[in-house]
Amino acid sequence: ENDRKQVVSFFKARTGIVLEKDDINAVLTIDFVDRINVSQKIMHMKKITDVEHLKNYYHYSLRALRKTPFYTDDYEMELERAFDERLREITDLILEQTKRQMNYLRDFEKLHLLVKDLLDRSLHIGFTDEQKHMLNDLYELRKDTLKRKKLQEIDHFLGTIGDIEELRDYWDSIKWYLLTNRPYLGKEFENLIARKFDEKMKTLGR
C-alpha cells in the first residue's frame, strides 16, 4: 500500500521525479523537474512587456535563487542572459513606438520634449548607447523632414504673393515662427528663409 502511494505521488509531483502517463499510446514517461525551475521563470520573463515589471521580476527571481542552499551561479547567468535579451526586445519596441509617435508630431518643441524625456530616463529604461544614438538619429531625421516641409510650404506661398505689402505680412508671421523655433531650427535655416524673402522682394520691386 505504501509503495502504491509513493508511485502515485510521482504522478502528482510538480518537482523532482515526475511520471507522466500517455494512455492512448501506453507510454510512461519519467522526467526530472528542477525545484528551482529556471526555465519557467525565463518563459514568464519573455511574456513581460513593461521594463519596470521585468526588472522587478528579475531581481525577485535572483533573490529567490540566492536563498536556496544550492550552487546557483549557472542559474543566475541563465536568468541574466534572458533578462538582457528581453530588455533589449522591450526597449527596441519603445524605440519603434517612439518613431511612430514622432511621425505624428509637427511641433518642434513637442518633438524635442519627447526625445529629451526618453534620454533623461534612458539609464532607468535600459537603453544601450546604440539605442540612444538611434533615438537621436530618429529625432534629427524627423526635424529634417519638418524643415523640408516648411520650406516647401514657404516656397508655395511666396509663389502666390503678388505685392510687397502681402509679402511683408507673410514675413511677419514667418519671422515669429522662426523666432519661436530658433532652438531647434538653427541659424542656417533662418538665413535660408530670409534669402528667399529677399529674392521675392527684389522680384516684386522690379
Side-chain angles (χ1 to χ4, degrees), residues 143-157:
K143 277 202 304 181
D144 286 344
T145 299
L146 290 176
K147 284 158 75 173
R148 187 171 63 252
K149 287 182 177 179
K150 192 64 182 178
L151 275 176
Q152 291 170 347
E153 176 194 306
I154 290 171
D155 283 337
H156 172 74
F157 272 93

Side-chain angles (χ1 to χ4, degrees), residues 141-189:
L141 186 63
R142 183 58 183 159
K143 277 202 304 181
D144 286 344
T145 299
L146 290 176
K147 284 158 75 173
R148 187 171 63 252
K149 287 182 177 179
K150 192 64 182 178
L151 275 176
Q152 291 170 347
E153 176 194 306
I154 290 171
D155 283 337
H156 172 74
F157 272 93
L158 286 177
T160 65
I161 291 174
D163 63 72
I164 290 177
E165 264 323 298
E166 191 181 355
L167 181 65
R168 283 175 178 157
D169 287 342
Y170 185 46
W171 170 243
D172 285 340
S173 68
I174 291 299
K175 195 163 53 175
W176 174 253
Y177 172 85
L178 293 174
L179 182 64
T180 304
N181 293 292
R182 179 171 284 175
Y184 321 112
L185 295 174
K187 194 67 179 173
E188 186 179 341
F189 187 79

Side-chain angles (χ1 to χ4, degrees), residues 29-150:
T29 305
I30 301 175
D31 195 9
F32 179 79
V33 179
D34 196 329
R35 185 160 66 91
I36 295 173
N37 210 343
V38 170
S39 297
Q40 189 178 50
K41 289 178 169 57
I42 290 172
M43 286 298 294
H44 181 72
M45 275 203 286
K46 287 180 178 179
K47 296 175 183 176
I48 295 174
T49 58
D50 176 77
V51 169
E52 197 63 34
H53 182 187
L54 180 68
K55 287 181 178 180
N56 288 339
Y57 184 77
Y58 170 61
H59 291 303
Y60 157 78
S61 298
L62 277 183
R63 286 194 299 271
L65 274 179
R66 288 166 183 167
K67 285 179 182 177
T68 64
F70 310 112
Y71 175 84
T72 62
D73 283 9
D74 288 346
Y75 291 132
E76 289 175 32
M77 286 174 65
E78 273 189 71
L79 271 179
E80 185 179 0
R81 281 194 297 269
F83 168 76
D84 288 341
E85 182 181 333
R86 186 57 185 153
L87 181 62
R88 180 59 188 250
E89 289 170 352
I90 294 174
T91 49
D92 278 343
L93 185 61
I94 290 172
L95 279 179
E96 189 58 38
Q97 291 170 340
T98 302
K99 181 182 177 181
R100 287 199 295 269
Q101 192 175 351
M102 282 181 179
N103 289 336
Y104 286 107
L105 290 176
R106 298 181 178 277
D107 184 286
F108 283 101
E109 185 178 12
K110 288 179 181 177
L111 183 64
H112 171 76
L113 291 175
L114 171 67
V115 175
K116 183 179 183 300
D117 174 63
L118 283 172
L119 287 175
D120 287 346
R121 296 187 296 117
S122 61
L123 183 62
H124 181 73
I125 293 171
F127 281 150
T128 63
D129 287 341
E130 179 191 354
Q131 287 173 319
K132 285 188 281 186
H133 290 313
M134 189 179 299
L135 179 59
N136 272 313
D137 288 344
L138 290 172
Y139 174 52
E140 293 300 327
L141 186 63
R142 183 58 183 159
K143 277 202 304 181
D144 286 344
T145 299
L146 290 176
K147 284 158 75 173
R148 187 171 63 252
K149 287 182 177 179
K150 192 64 182 178

